[in-house]
Amino acid sequence: MALQAIAFYLMAAVTLGSGLAVVSARNPVHSVLFLIAAFFSAAGLFVLLGAEFLAMLLVVVYVGAVAVLFLFVVMMLDVDFAQLRQGFARYMPLGGLIAGGLAIEMVVVSTTVATRGAARLNETPMARGAGAADAMSNAEAIGRVLYTNYVYFFQAAGMVLLVAMIGAIVLTLRHKPGVKRQVIMDQVLRNPATGMRMVSPKPGEGVEP
Amino acid sequence: MTAFWTTPAGWSLLTVGQILLVLLVLLLTLAIFLIYGDRKIFAAVQMRRGPNVVGPFGLLQSFADLGKFLIKELVIPAGADKVVFLLAPLISVTLALGSWAAMPLAPGWVVSNISVGVLYLFAVSSLGVYGIIMGGWASNSKYPFLGALRSAAQMVSYEVSIGFVIITVILLSGSMNLTRIVELQAGGFWHWNILGGAGLANLPLALVMIPMGVIFFISGLAETNRPPFDLPEAESELVAGYAIEYGSTPYLLFYLSEMSNILLMSGLMAVLFLGGWQAPFPTPFTAHWAPTAVSLFGFMWLYLKSLLVFFMNSMVRAVVPRYRYDQLMRLGWKVFLPTSLVAVALVAGWRVYAPVIG
């Protein structure tokens, strides 16, 4: 138990510290790297909670794919941070308000769950799915809940993502006229009969184009 | 005495011992000799002799290289981001060695038998891109930066198809635990996942799983930046890509993590498709053997299979010319992704509607 407590405090401290560093780092690339560290230690916290499936998904999706693209974009852009910080004092009250609101929400939710939620929590579909068999791995428990209780929401979320993806492609896809593109099919279908022409030019005449 | 090993201290000591045994002794010597083997295979294809001076048959060449790397001077470029520059190879090698924790080497031989082993390996291998991208950026030089950008796009692209291929295997086995996946492939090569798993009843699935195995192998090449997909370090266009500014031990760490990743991909191919530690024939005669003997017997098979995959890996490197970058992207997104997506649907349909399910 002591080992778990040490691990928890270590990872929680790393999460908070790197979260703070994300906003305070001078170099935007360092910010993204700290964000990755925060994701990673949050995944560690999930593992401590016994939610190893969620932890792995967090690492695969956010750290392995989303943050790579973040880093990709931030490295390419030459972000001038001094310019970005100009409005800092002006937006500070609004940002502080939002952050404070979120913090209060989190405290209220967690204390509610801690004081009277333990009994009520068992009634949620998630807990019922997991409670059905303790031997069930949490990937299976999530799958059961997702594909039975919430299957329509799950499908709808998938549709939303699909529409977003198609929308992004439609918005950015441009066919510039006059650009020669490689057509693999044409290249594969090319043979001596279509690709070659036999001529016998007379002296001084050359080959017509 | 056994009581001591169940206390937290003893348990931690045991785990550390296992890790040291598996990673440092087994893996590093293996990686070192595989570098030698790789070079020999490459040389044989080109009708050269390859390393043959240091030690008998040049066997100690890699150790000589190791020594050379270690005693070289460490140069950090003037404009480099020092911390990130030195952190990058460390992250690479940590992830490369850390991924071996979930690898089942033989019956009962696994450092951490976690229930989401496949996902863990997938997650850690997808993190491998950070070492390269950080190294390329921190070098503060153009070629490394281009190499890092290429590698980021390439590895993210091929992760997608690797993910779908892994999903087909998960669907076949109904488990994400690597040990369980291997156990289900017991009883001869016709039970291996590449032939549909679960014996002759699932043989029609071989039509789907054999292409999946091929896609996994090729995506593995792209994921580990092996030729013909070594665009991040393509020496004819980017000199050495992300590794230009590295020398001495940091370069050694990059090299080591690359080798370890190749080995991991070979092992993963063996575990997911070729039955892992299972022998290619039924083994009722091992029933009376001591557990250690059974483990060693199993480890031998995994080792042989990994070596076979590694040999194919080396041959591909020697035989196939490098891909052009747009062809690489086309292959990943327009060929492998739709194919593996259809395969996921087919395998899922088979699991639901097939008359006999193993």
Side-chain angles (χ1 to χ4, degrees):
Chain A
M1 267 305 154
L3 207 64
Q4 278 195 1
I6 294 170
F8 170 76
Y9 283 115
L10 197 70
M11 279 189 276
V14 171
T15 312
L16 285 179
S18 35
L20 205 65
V22 171
V23 283
S24 61
R26 292 197 163 274
N27 191 326
V29 175
H30 291 174
S31 287
V32 180
L33 292 178
F34 277 120
L35 183 69
I36 291 157
F39 279 149
F40 203 74
S41 38
L45 290 176
F46 271 130
V47 171
L48 277 186
L49 282 173
E52 67 264 14
F53 182 68
L54 281 182
M56 292 307 147
L57 279 197
L58 185 72
V59 174
V60 169
V61 175
Y62 284 94
V63 185
V66 174
V68 172
L69 299 179
F70 262 29
L71 201 58
F72 199 89
V73 172
V74 170
M75 278 184 353
M76 302 257 269
L77 297 175
D78 204 9
V79 183
D80 185 7
F81 245 50
Q83 204 183 4
L84 272 181
R85 275 162 200 255
Q86 269 177 1
F88 185 70
R90 200 150 61 91
Y91 296 120
M92 178 75 178
L94 185 64
L97 207 65
I98 294 172
L102 282 178
I104 290 168
E105 263 178 34
M106 275 163 70
V107 169
V108 167
V109 167
S110 46
T111 47
T112 318
V113 169
T115 50
R116 72 177 171 97
R120 291 283 297 278
L121 205 63
N122 285 330
E123 293 162 20
T124 61
M126 185 78 195
R128 261 187 278 125
D134 279 335
M136 205 191 285
S137 70
N138 58 50
E140 209 175 334
I142 290 175
R144 255 167 221 276
V145 174
L146 213 55
Y147 288 103
T148 51
N149 296 54
Y150 296 117
V151 64
Y152 294 116
F153 297 103
F154 182 67
Q155 297 281 347
M159 288 307 287
V160 169
L161 285 177
L162 184 67
V163 169
M165 188 179 84
I166 293 173
I169 293 172
V170 167
L171 285 176
T172 52
L173 186 69
R174 272 180 304 183
H175 280 297
K176 276 188 204 156
V179 176
K180 262 193 154 179
R181 285 177 175 279
Q182 182 182 20
V183 186
I184 307 273
M185 203 46 140
D186 286 1
Q187 291 178 342
V188 172
L189 289 178
R190 198 175 127 104
N191 58 24
T194 60
M196 209 162 64
R197 182 169 56 107
M198 300 297 284
V199 289
S200 48
K202 293 195 178 64
E205 280 187 359
V207 186
E208 50 191 326
Chain B
M1 196 57 207
T2 46
F4 170 70
W5 296 118
T6 50
T7 59
W11 175 78
S12 312
L13 210 66
L14 200 66
T15 312
V16 170
Q18 280 175 335
I19 292 169
L20 286 181
L21 184 75
V22 171
L23 294 183
L24 293 182
V25 181
L26 219 80
L27 212 71
L28 295 189
T29 45
L30 203 60
I32 281 172
F33 280 114
L34 280 181
I35 294 171
Y36 166 79
D38 196 30
R39 289 173 70 176
K40 272 290 192 194
I41 293 168
F42 201 69
V45 171
Q46 297 179 340
M47 302 178 80
R48 290 185 288 116
R49 281 177 186 278
N52 65 347
V53 175
V54 189
F57 308 107
L59 267 173
L60 302 179
Q61 178 67 48
S62 300
F63 290 96
D65 289 342
L66 182 79
K68 191 184 76 175
F69 276 127
L70 288 178
I71 56 174
K72 274 192 171 181
E73 187 193 352
L74 171 60
V75 181
I76 300 177
D81 188 324
K82 274 202 189 73
V83 179
V84 181
F85 186 81
L86 293 178
L87 205 61
L90 285 179
I91 286 181
S92 268
V93 84
T94 311
L95 292 171
L97 296 183
S99 50
W100 284 90
M103 193 76 183
L105 297 174
W109 284 13
V110 54
V111 175
S112 171
N113 191 15
I114 47 178
S115 64
V116 287
V118 184
L119 268 184
Y120 172 78
L121 281 186
F122 183 57
V124 174
S125 77
S126 73
L127 290 181
V129 68
Y130 282 111
I132 293 175
I133 205 171
M134 281 164 72
W137 176 78
S139 297
N140 193 22
S141 164
K142 288 186 182 62
Y143 285 134
F145 188 60
L146 281 174
L149 289 185
R150 280 184 178 190
S151 129
Q154 173 182 333
M155 288 172 88
V156 169
S157 308
Y158 277 84
E159 246 160 50
V160 181
S161 55
I162 281 199
F164 279 120
V165 172
I166 287 178
I167 287 175
T168 59
V169 174
I170 294 174
L171 280 172
L172 273 187
S173 317
S175 172
M176 284 193 272
N177 184 328
L178 283 163
T179 309
R180 178 97 186 111
I181 289 178
V182 175
E183 276 167 0
L184 282 170
Q185 300 180 58
F189 67 87
W190 53 91
H191 287 274
W192 291 356
N193 277 339
I194 196 154
L195 293 176
L200 298 175
N202 265 2
L203 206 56
L205 264 191
L207 284 178
V208 180
M209 292 314 287
I210 290 175
M212 284 303 100
V214 174
I215 289 183
F216 185 84
F217 178 70
I218 298 176
S219 302
L221 289 179
E223 189 78 2
T224 50
N225 296 323
R226 279 285 275 188
F229 304 111
D230 60 339
L231 288 149
E233 46 189 312
E235 70 268 12
S236 54
E237 14 189 314
L238 293 184
V239 193
Y242 64 92
I244 293 178
E245 306 289 351
Y246 284 91
S248 183
T249 320
Y251 180 75
L252 179 71
L253 293 182
F254 265 137
Y255 198 50
L256 199 67
S257 62
E258 200 183 313
M259 226 47 210
S260 164
N261 275 333
I262 292 162
L263 207 55
L264 183 82
M265 273 295 164
S266 308
L268 201 55
M269 175 94 191
V271 165
L272 291 181
F273 288 99
L274 303 177
W277 69 68
Q278 307 287 359
F281 43 80
T283 51
F285 52 86
T286 59
H288 305 295
W289 291 8
T292 318
V294 175
S295 291
L296 280 173
F297 184 67
F299 181 68
M300 182 190 80
W301 285 110
L302 179 70
Y303 187 72
L304 287 178
K305 288 168 189 171
S306 306
L307 279 192
L308 178 74
V309 180
F310 182 81
F311 177 71
M312 295 201 306
N313 210 317
S314 281
M315 286 300 281
V316 169
R317 173 180 119 138
V319 171
V320 183
R322 183 177 296 128
Y323 260 61
R324 215 173 56 205
Y325 196 71
D326 61 318
Q327 290 172 333
L328 174 91
M329 284 296 162
R330 176 178 170 272
L331 188 69
W333 287 108
K334 293 188 180 174
V335 180
F336 284 175
L337 179 59
T339 316
S340 47
L341 207 53
V342 168
V344 169
L346 284 177
V347 174
W350 179 272
R351 285 288 285 173
V352 175
Y353 295 111
V356 187
I357 294 168

